[in-house]
Amino acid sequence: MSVSELTLLVLRLGFLLVLWLFIFGIVYALRSDLFGQRARKMQADAAAPVGAPAAFPSAVTLPPASSASAPTEQFTARPSPANAAADDKATSQNATRLVITSGSKAGTEFPLTGDSVTIGRSGDSSLVIRDDYTSTHHARLMLWHDKWMIQDLDSTNGTFLAGNRLTVPTPVPLNTTVKIGATSFELRR
Amino acid sequence: MPASSNRSTTTDAPERPLGTGRVRRLHLPQKLRNLELFLLLLACGINAATVVLVQLGALGRIDTTLVLLGAGLSVLVLALHVVLRVVAREADPFILPIATLLNGLGIAMIYRIDLANEEYGWASASVRQTAWSALAIGCAIAVILIIRNHRVLFRYTYVAGFVGVALLLLPLVPGLGREVSGARVWIGVGSFATFQPGEIAKIALAVFFAGYLVRNRDSLSMVGKKILWMRFPRLRDLGPILVVWALSMSVIIFQRDLGTALLYFGLFLVMLYLATGRLSWVLLGMSLFLGGALIASQTLDYVNGRFQNWLDALNPDVYGADGGSYQLVQGLFGLAKGGLIGTGLGQGRPEITPVPQSDYIIASLGEELGLAGIFAILALYLLLVARGFRIGFAGNDDFGKLLGVGLSFVIALQCFIVIGGVTRVIPLTGLTTPFLAAGGSSLIANWIIVAVLLRLSDTVRNQPRLVV
């Protein structure tokens, strides 16, 4: 033996120590894992509106988007969908979120930013609706001259705005139901 | 870092609703992949240190030829890492280092047993294990490159089921099947290249179960008679569970492989529970399996012998009998010799136990690394399985959820069956310890599982924000 017993003992203990350091390194890294943060954020988005769909929109989860004129106090004072002025078109100023009003995820909210929102069954849509009535690329919500417009992308079963099937890109009023397949949603403040 | 230059151009492909989300995505991948690289280098370092310690302990000098073993594995996993940087930038950063470390520890221990048995070159199991690792990591790279989205697998649900059953039954084909130490679970062509198709079958069956349950879980969970507080399924919905039960029982009877049967049936039960959330299915399934196993233990002497060895291991008659508990008890003696911190790598005598490099690798590692080492290995498995569960938990689509949890549960259950068998918690059944044990088919299957989990974790993070 060219290596002394003592060296081997030290190496042996050192090896076990390094093995455990590796494990604790992983556990330490898991603590700040971004996976967890993201999941928490999703939960906060989804959980808040399910409990109280209209009363307390989750102001916390709203992005600090372009909605400078939509302070949080307005949410509680917001007129109910029924008596909302029908010609109050949704603009980038007054619409901050998309709320699913019927379907399996009713109550879920989706924050609106300046970006257009694609809706469809395909995985690359912003809002994915997986049911038998939705086309792969079904419709698109976009800002046109600062107004939210909805455009049907030649879908099979159509997109309905307040019960009427869309043929041309149409401005979306606030609090008005847009129906796609078994899911309907509204744009709200 | 090869992929860092084109990262910014490939990030903004589909339209995302959140401007902030897109900005965050730009910064995340480097962080995840760099963390992975750091852990990977650490794992490779530990692997090299293990080989060096084995040589110091067993030979008293450092032999450079077999440090190549560690280097070979390192190059391969780094290649996989580079592939991830390009095609799965947001994959989980912990899975690959953990799998690498387990694989490397396994190779070092197999090498240690080769030294004791004085086997070198292609005759030695460690060189073959390294070659199999290369093949397995190659398969993993191929899977990551080919399967760009796990939902593709959903289309092939029934194909996967058929492939799984076919692979499972392949060893029964005359002329192709091989019988090794009592169990007919191998196939081979000529005298070389034996392969255990059942290992690959578990992946195919996991895909099938996930797809089948996503399609049919409503009828499985909603209807049926209510007895006491539990809702029991209708007979026509009971079909699949009975088919799988019959299948796993026939595996026991015709292939004499209790472990594989337990693995498949456990996998099915867990996924069924996951999909329906009904405890009644689990109770029903467990009672079916226990009933079947009980009957098998009474009627098949192969199973009966295993029970004897387990319950009465230290009885001199059982110990000395042909096919008795000699192996089990030698493994236990080895573990006892190891004690808290082990005899030191290369300084124990794990080669006394029969097949110390495959079924009993845990006993070999336990002897030389001690309780501290065994617990470290178990913690690695725990972290690996926990990552898999986490991926399933964070996923949005049910197929991905079921697949992720199912595949990681397979690893967990297999560990429990083998390590529980070696440590005499349950009757011993021949299964391989994932990543550690010598055996090509098991390595390939487990690395493919790693690849699928990595792919799943990448798609989970890239998912759209809202799926209805």
Side-chain angles (χ1 to χ4, degrees), chain A residues 1-3 8 11-13 15-16 18-20 22-23 26-27 29-30 33-36 38-39 41-42 45 100 104-105 108 110-111 113 115-116 123-130 183, chain B residues 14-18 24 28 39 42 46 50 53 56-57 60 94 98 101 341-344 347 369 372-373 375-376 379-380 383 387 390-391 394 396-397 460-461 463-468:
Chain A
M1 279 288 194
S2 56
V3 193
L8 279 179
L11 286 177
R12 187 166 113 203
L13 292 177
F15 179 77
L16 285 177
V18 171
L19 206 55
W20 278 104
F22 180 81
I23 288 164
I26 290 181
V27 173
L30 281 180
D33 182 27
L34 300 146
F35 217 149
R38 189 179 146 77
K41 188 167 157 35
M42 297 273 300
D45 276 357
I100 310 247
S104 58
K105 286 271 171 71
T108 312
F110 187 82
T113 59
D115 292 337
S116 64
D124 59 13
S125 308
S126 316
L127 172 60
V128 179
I129 300 181
R130 291 204 173 112
T183 305
Chain B
E15 299 213 35
R16 301 286 176 189
L18 259 186
R24 207 183 307 144
L28 277 184
L39 289 171
L42 196 59
I46 297 177
T50 324
L53 278 179
L56 281 180
F94 304 104
I98 294 174
L101 182 55
I341 58 163
T343 60
Q347 292 166 289
L369 294 177
F375 274 13
L380 287 176
L383 286 173
R387 287 322 287 164
R390 194 77 184 77
I391 291 163
N396 261 340
D397 71 311
V460 161
R461 286 204 179 116
Q463 258 166 357
R465 281 182 40 79
L466 190 55
V467 178
V468 178

Side-chain angles (χ1 to χ4, degrees), chain B residues 287-299:
Chain B
S287 53
L288 270 177
F289 187 83
L290 286 179
L294 213 64
I295 293 169
S297 73
Q298 297 302 313
T299 51

Side-chain angles (χ1 to χ4, degrees), chain B residues 197-335:
Chain B
E199 290 282 344
I200 308 292
K202 69 187 179 189
I203 301 171
L205 286 179
V207 172
F208 167 66
F209 290 158
Y212 177 83
L213 290 171
V214 166
R215 287 190 170 94
N216 298 308
R217 62 160 161 206
D218 286 348
S219 65
L220 291 172
S221 66
M222 298 300 183
V223 288
K225 274 208 185 68
K226 207 164 184 177
I227 301 172
L228 294 178
W229 71 96
M230 282 183 302
R231 191 178 294 280
F232 279 91
R234 290 184 302 190
L235 201 61
R236 82 171 90 148
D237 299 328
L238 210 58
I241 199 170
L242 286 177
V243 167
V244 176
W245 177 75
L247 201 70
S248 56
M249 285 301 143
S250 64
V251 168
I252 297 186
I253 294 167
F254 294 115
Q255 303 186 349
R256 296 198 265 169
D257 192 0
L258 193 64
T260 309
L262 184 58
L263 189 67
Y264 294 149
F265 201 67
L267 170 68
F268 184 64
L269 274 190
V270 160
M271 293 181 82
L272 198 58
Y273 177 65
L274 218 64
T276 62
R278 298 245 166 247
L279 201 62
S280 54
W281 281 104
V282 178
L283 292 183
L284 202 70
M286 292 230 297
S287 53
L288 270 177
F289 187 83
L290 286 179
L294 213 64
I295 293 169
S297 73
Q298 297 302 313
T299 51
L300 303 169
D301 27 324
Y302 153 79
V303 184
N304 191 18
R306 291 290 171 97
F307 270 84
Q308 277 263 302
N309 292 349
W310 170 52
L311 291 171
D312 206 10
L314 297 173
N315 183 343
D317 293 339
V318 181
Y319 177 76
D322 197 27
S325 64
Y326 173 78
Q327 186 188 27
L328 179 62
V329 171
Q330 284 303 322
L332 290 177
F333 286 166
L335 285 171

Side-chain angles (χ1 to χ4, degrees), chain B residues 325-404:
Chain B
S325 64
Y326 173 78
Q327 186 188 27
L328 179 62
V329 171
Q330 284 303 322
L332 290 177
F333 286 166
L335 285 171
K337 179 77 170 62
L340 197 60
I341 58 163
T343 60
L345 282 165
Q347 292 166 289
R349 300 197 60 193
E351 71 276 8
I352 298 177
T353 317
V355 284
Q357 72 275 59
S358 57
D359 285 13
Y360 272 73
I361 193 144
I362 273 294
S364 311
L365 283 163
E367 181 174 348
E368 304 215 317
L369 294 177
L371 192 67
I374 285 281
F375 274 13
I377 289 167
L378 290 180
L380 287 176
Y381 281 124
L382 184 69
L383 286 173
L384 183 64
V385 172
R387 287 322 287 164
F389 283 0
R390 194 77 184 77
I391 291 163
F393 177 70
N396 261 340
D397 71 311
D398 296 326
F399 176 71
K401 264 180 199 294
L402 282 175
L403 189 61

